[in-house]
Amino acid sequence: MTQSVVLQVGQCGNQIGCRFWDLALREHSAVNKKGIYDEALSSFFRNVNTRSTQGCKPISLTPESQRPTSTEIGLQANQFDPRESRDQRGSRTDGDGADTCRGKICSLKARALLIDMEEGVVNEILQGPLRDVFDSKQLITDVSGSGNNWAVGHKIYGCQYRDQIVEKLRKTAEHCDCLQCFFIIHSMGGGTGSGLGTFILKVLEDEFPEVYRFVISVYPSREDDVVTSPYNSVLAMKELSNHADCVLPIENESLFDIVSKIHQMTNTGKLGSAVKQTSLITSSAGGIKRIREKPFDAMNNIVANLLLNLTSSARFEGSLNMDLNEISMNLVPFPRLHYLVSSLTPLYTLADVNVPSRRLDQMFSDAFSKDHQLLQADPKHSLYLACALLVRGNVQVSDLRRNIERMKPSLQFVSWNQEGWKTGLCSVPPVGHSHSLLALANNTCVKPTFRDLRERFMRLYKKKAHLHHYLHVDGMEQSSFSEALLSLSDLIEEYNQLDASNCGPAVDPPRLEIAV
């Protein structure tokens, strides 16, 4: 079994990462009833013996937020609870503690680095129910932040913390038997996420060139409250195009629309929907939160569930499991065209909403509709380079083939890759559902997102507005802006050329006639 490491960079990256680890523990606890450290857990968690006593007792995998309190039921004798004091659990050993490869779970540690140039979000995580999943050796924080300035995150903090980042990355890699993939979670609009996040991406390419780099990038909305977000996003885009293996762009506007639809369903009771009392969109008092006031928890939950489904084959067994490296190999025909549009169904799992389960055929139709895209795009009416389908649950290969054949006539694939489908089957479904489907499309429909970003960039750049904040940073020159703009324009042009070359049905070249 291979291992992967998650790098959470900036406020957005750490908030999404926190949701991912919480939901991953919930998912493993539903399968791993005996508290055994197995290969599924080892893919994203270490088992560390931090106790002074010999042997390990089985513990609960369930996140603290999902457990009843000790005053309600009393703690079971064989259950480790993260709220116990260190003295109750025994003193910690020096260093990281000894990794335990087999047997009972001792203390799970996420294979992750938490990086932010402000302490607020990381401190909040360390004081929350997941505090024992991380330790100080996995943290890199500062106090001043990047001030929504890509140059500060990339040039100043990148240089300042490079050695520390490399050291912690190497330590994390040493705990892996077979390191397969790095996941970077960050936002594009801020300073730390875009600047330091893309700096780390280049570090990973230099230090671990053979390890795949997946980037989950959250793009700002058109009404973003960060004035300089177009600058930060375009500067970051150049680094993503040059140094990532796969990028999953996710738009805040799409996430907000999805959460709004969920909110509308729970208010109207459409389709017999109901909100569970343990839902992320319910308050501690049991009442529905007004999602428009603070939608970020539910929005982050959507991205975390995308990650859960993306990594399901790496974490669980399946009849047709798909390795993470197969996604890049099969979906990226050209190095720079590695931006994949993601869609997920059922969506309503993401907010713990009870709705009637969708049939598999309906889910395939959902996955190719605009309502289920995490990017405001329409792949169905654009050109496909390739498409991957990651299905979870009790699904047969014949079900996949039947639905692919059904969808084919309505999808336009590039002429030289008409059979560009990659499929994966994981036998373990999401908690509370019989099956789910994640579709990843390499499609020219990303062009409007990139064009819109370029237009917003140009509105500022033509006036040279806010440039002085960036040019005051050592090592930052105005040529960086023009180079980033050129890189984005070249990327858009590559997609344009693909669209132009595939207009109309493919025509075989004329045969050479030889005179006799």
Side-chain angles (χ1 to χ4, degrees):
M1 186 70 85
T2 59
Q3 291 84 38
S4 298
V5 175
V6 177
L7 288 86
Q8 308 168 191
V9 188
Q11 176 178 329
C12 176
N14 278 288
Q15 288 175 335
I16 292 171
C18 181
R19 294 303 314 133
F20 168 74
W21 296 112
D22 186 73
L23 295 174
L25 284 173
R26 185 202 299 189
E27 202 164 81
H28 282 282
S29 69
V31 178
N32 194 333
K33 301 292 187 182
K34 296 182 180 180
I36 302 296
Y37 183 70
D38 54 14
E39 288 188 343
L41 272 172
S42 72
S43 58
F44 279 85
F45 293 93
R46 295 169 55 213
N47 189 25
V48 181
N49 185 0
T50 59
R51 306 184 183 200
S52 58
T53 56
Q54 291 183 350
C56 297
K57 298 178 182 179
I59 70 170
S60 169
L61 289 176
T62 311
E64 183 182 11
S65 59
Q66 303 295 322
R67 301 181 199 163
T69 63
S70 57
T71 56
E72 290 172 340
I73 61 169
L75 292 173
Q76 300 176 12
N78 69 337
Q79 184 185 51
F80 160 67
D81 191 275
R83 290 165 288 190
E84 295 175 359
S85 66
R86 289 189 180 183
D87 293 336
Q88 289 174 299
R89 301 202 305 258
S91 60
R92 295 182 181 273
T93 58
D94 293 336
D96 292 330
D99 277 21
T100 304
C101 296
R102 297 291 180 208
K104 299 296 184 181
I105 297 169
C106 300
S107 178
L108 290 180
K109 298 294 180 185
R111 300 187 189 275
L113 288 183
L114 283 63
I115 303 169
D116 198 359
M117 296 300 100
E118 292 178 342
E119 295 180 309
V121 174
V122 173
N123 285 342
E124 194 175 314
I125 293 172
L126 297 182
Q127 294 167 10
L130 292 176
R131 58 184 175 272
D132 280 303
V133 180
F134 310 104
D135 61 38
S136 59
K137 294 180 174 62
Q138 297 172 264
L139 315 176
I140 299 177
T141 60
D142 206 297
V143 293
S144 57
S146 299
N148 296 323
N149 189 326
W150 181 90
V152 173
H154 198 88
K155 301 290 185 179
I156 295 179
Y157 287 128
C159 295
Q160 181 178 340
Y161 285 96
R162 188 187 193 283
D163 291 343
Q164 192 175 342
I165 291 169
V166 170
E167 179 64 21
K168 290 185 184 294
L169 283 171
R170 286 177 177 167
K171 285 284 187 183
T172 306
E174 286 171 3
H175 291 301
C176 299
D177 295 324
C178 181
L179 178 58
Q180 183 184 43
C181 185
F182 286 108
F183 288 94
I184 301 177
I185 312 172
H186 74 132
S187 68
M188 299 287 282
T192 300
S194 66
L196 187 56
T198 52
F199 179 87
I200 292 170
L201 181 63
K202 179 63 166 65
V203 169
L204 291 175
E205 185 181 46
D206 293 340
E207 300 293 331
F208 303 91
E210 302 301 319
V211 182
Y212 283 86
R213 299 174 296 280
F214 273 78
V215 187
I216 292 85
S217 302
V218 180
Y219 283 63
S221 65
R222 294 169 183 82
E223 308 300 326
D224 190 58
D225 60 350
V226 177
V227 177
T228 55
S229 66
Y231 283 160
N232 298 332
S233 299
V234 172
L235 289 164
M237 278 286 295
K238 176 175 178 286
E239 305 299 317
L240 292 180
S241 295
N242 291 340
H243 305 301
D245 289 307
C246 279
V247 179
L248 273 61
I250 296 164
E251 283 186 329
N252 267 329
E253 287 184 46
S254 292
L255 299 178
F256 187 83
D257 287 346
I258 291 170
V259 173
S260 297
K261 289 171 187 173
I262 295 172
H263 185 231
Q264 184 178 6
M265 284 190 66
T266 56
N267 282 343
T268 60
K270 185 180 179 183
L271 296 178
S273 60
V275 182
K276 301 175 184 177
Q277 292 302 308
T278 57
S279 169
L280 293 168
I281 60 172
T282 58
S283 67
S284 57
I288 304 295
K289 284 184 181 179
R290 293 183 179 177
I291 295 180
R292 290 188 179 276
E293 292 179 1
K294 189 180 178 183
F296 303 111
D297 286 343
M299 290 167 68
N300 293 337
N301 206 43
I302 294 171
V303 186
N305 271 276
L306 164 66
L307 264 173
L308 281 184
N309 284 272
L310 180 64
T311 60
S312 60
S313 287
R315 295 183 294 116
F316 300 113
E317 293 297 326
S319 58
L320 190 64
N321 265 352
M322 184 191 303
D323 283 344
L324 291 166
N325 59 356
E326 293 183 67
I327 296 175
S328 177
M329 180 64 67
N330 288 273
L331 265 66
V332 182
F334 308 109
R336 283 166 52 86
L337 305 186
H338 51 235
Y339 295 87
L340 308 181
V341 180
S342 53
S343 60
L344 190 60
T345 179
L347 279 172
Y348 307 111
T349 307
L350 312 180
D352 290 345
V353 178
N354 283 326
V355 296
S357 59
R358 303 282 279 173
R359 297 198 318 270
L360 185 64
D361 290 6
Q362 292 173 321
M363 290 173 60
F364 269 83
S365 299
D366 290 343
F368 291 92
S369 70
K370 290 189 291 185
D371 290 342
H372 288 254
Q373 305 288 154
L374 303 190
L375 189 74
Q376 291 196 323
D378 189 8
K380 203 169 183 179
H381 295 93
S382 299
L383 184 65
Y384 279 86
L385 305 184
C387 184
L389 302 173
L390 289 80
V391 184
R392 301 181 62 182
N394 185 19
V395 180
Q396 304 301 317
V397 176
S398 58
D399 296 323
L400 278 175
R401 289 174 178 166
R402 185 185 73 255
N403 278 284
I404 288 175
E405 291 301 321
R406 180 174 64 88
M407 298 301 300
K408 265 185 180 181
S410 63
L411 306 176
Q412 184 187 8
F413 270 74
V414 70
S415 58
W416 41 263
N417 197 25
Q418 291 291 314
E419 302 298 323
W421 296 86
K422 178 65 180 175
T423 55
L425 287 177
C426 173
S427 59
V428 178
V431 176
H433 284 263
S434 58
H435 43 253
S436 70
L437 170 61
L438 169 64
L440 299 175
N442 193 338
N443 192 290
T444 59
C445 69
V446 296
K447 278 194 307 180
T449 297
F450 297 158
R451 280 201 301 252
D452 180 72
L453 187 58
R454 182 174 62 180
E455 289 171 8
R456 284 186 282 147
F457 174 93
M458 288 304 300
R459 281 198 290 269
L460 291 176
Y461 191 59
K462 283 179 179 178
K463 301 294 183 183
K464 301 297 185 286
H466 303 286
L467 274 188
H468 62 288
H469 297 300
Y470 292 80
L471 300 181
H472 286 167
V473 175
D474 287 342
M476 189 70 184
E477 298 180 359
Q478 191 166 331
S479 59
S480 299
F481 288 86
S482 56
E483 290 170 3
L485 179 61
L486 179 61
S487 174
L488 180 57
S489 296
D490 287 345
L491 183 67
I492 294 170
E493 182 57 29
E494 287 184 59
Y495 284 112
N496 284 334
Q497 290 176 3
L498 278 171
D499 278 333
S501 64
N502 214 73
C503 290
V507 179
D508 291 332
R511 293 175 179 269
L512 181 65
E513 295 183 2
I514 302 176
V516 178

